[in-house]
Amino acid sequence: MKSLLVTLISTKKGLNLLDEEFEDDLHRKSILIFGVYGIVKFIVDFNEHTNDKFFFLNLFEFGMYVSVSILIGFLFSYILYQVGKWIKGKGNYIEIFSLLAYSYFPIIIGLVIIGILNKTEYEIERYNNINLGNVSLFLSLFFSIKIIFQGLIKFNKYGAIKAILNLSILIGFIIGLYFLLPHLIIK
């Protein structure tokens, strides 16, 4: 996990450490990171004041958060890998999968900060909590995109234009799912 912290502080050094790790270890760590994201997301979204579900329903929902988070990690990394392969990238799937997982780490930190701001009993104005939460979310997304961008350039061995193309196709897919999925579920 040393490479995870180094990647956050110095992305190039962290990506070099990531490149030196064994693929089996990277795969396990990446699944763990996606699972931790699901756990943190569940805790941040959970509201004990309005929750009237039974324990087992909450436990099922918790399991779904973790499972869906891991499945989305597999799906998005597969899309990044296939698009990278399509534009002549040299990276393998495990490198792209671990790169995407490592880019989730700043988002996890941002969610923890948002969760702490939302759950604190300090009587800070709600307006300030929203601003601090938005700033932490923006910074975490910035660091996440920075890690993915530099990692795609390093592992796929191509330039910035192809890395932007690779990321834009993934972001377009995510935006498309965001707008299309509610219409598919309702019908």
Side-chain angles (χ1 to χ4, degrees):
M1 289 294 173
K2 174 185 173 186
S3 58
L4 188 62
L5 294 173
V6 173
T7 303
L8 188 60
I9 297 167
S10 174
T11 306
K12 287 187 180 188
K13 287 181 185 176
L15 291 173
N16 288 335
L17 288 173
L18 181 71
D19 197 21
E20 294 171 2
E21 291 189 36
F22 292 112
E23 288 186 359
D24 290 343
D25 292 338
L26 284 176
H27 193 259
R28 281 190 291 272
K29 287 179 185 178
S30 301
I31 291 174
L32 179 67
I33 292 169
F34 286 125
V36 167
Y37 171 79
I39 293 168
V40 170
K41 184 72 173 139
F42 175 79
I43 292 170
V44 169
D45 289 348
F46 187 78
N47 188 350
E48 63 274 353
H49 300 296
T50 61
N51 187 7
D52 56 355
K53 300 175 196 159
F54 295 110
F55 171 76
F56 290 110
L57 193 54
N58 285 328
L59 187 62
F60 177 74
E61 189 176 349
F62 173 75
M64 290 302 294
Y65 265 79
V66 174
S67 301
V68 168
S69 173
I70 292 170
L71 288 175
I72 285 175
F74 277 114
L75 176 67
F76 289 172
S77 58
Y78 184 74
I79 291 169
L80 274 175
Y81 170 70
Q82 286 298 330
V83 170
K85 214 167 92 173
W86 175 62
I87 55 179
K88 309 291 189 253
K90 307 288 188 240
N92 65 29
Y93 177 73
I94 295 296
E95 290 172 337
I96 303 301
F97 181 66
S98 59
L99 173 66
L100 186 66
Y102 274 51
S103 73
Y104 266 51
F105 188 63
I107 296 172
I108 292 170
I109 293 172
L111 282 175
V112 167
I113 292 170
I114 289 171
I116 290 171
L117 289 174
N118 289 339
K119 307 271 185 205
T120 54
E121 297 298 324
Y122 299 110
E123 290 300 322
I124 302 174
E125 292 180 32
R126 183 76 178 144
Y127 178 76
N128 288 338
N129 278 352
I130 292 171
N131 283 340
L132 290 174
N134 288 341
V135 167
S136 69
L137 185 63
F138 175 76
L139 286 174
S140 65
L141 287 174
F142 173 76
F143 281 110
S144 178
I145 290 172
K146 176 186 166 205
I147 291 170
I148 291 176
F149 182 74
Q150 287 183 351
L152 286 174
I153 290 173
K154 177 179 177 45
F155 292 122
N156 281 330
K157 296 180 181 30
Y158 51 51
I161 301 294
K162 287 187 177 181
I164 290 172
L165 176 66
N166 199 343
L167 272 176
S168 4
I169 291 174
L170 177 68
I171 291 171
F173 179 77
I174 293 169
I175 291 171
L177 274 180
Y178 179 78
F179 288 111
L180 184 65
L181 206 55
H183 298 291
L184 294 175
I185 293 174
I186 292 173
K187 292 180 181 184

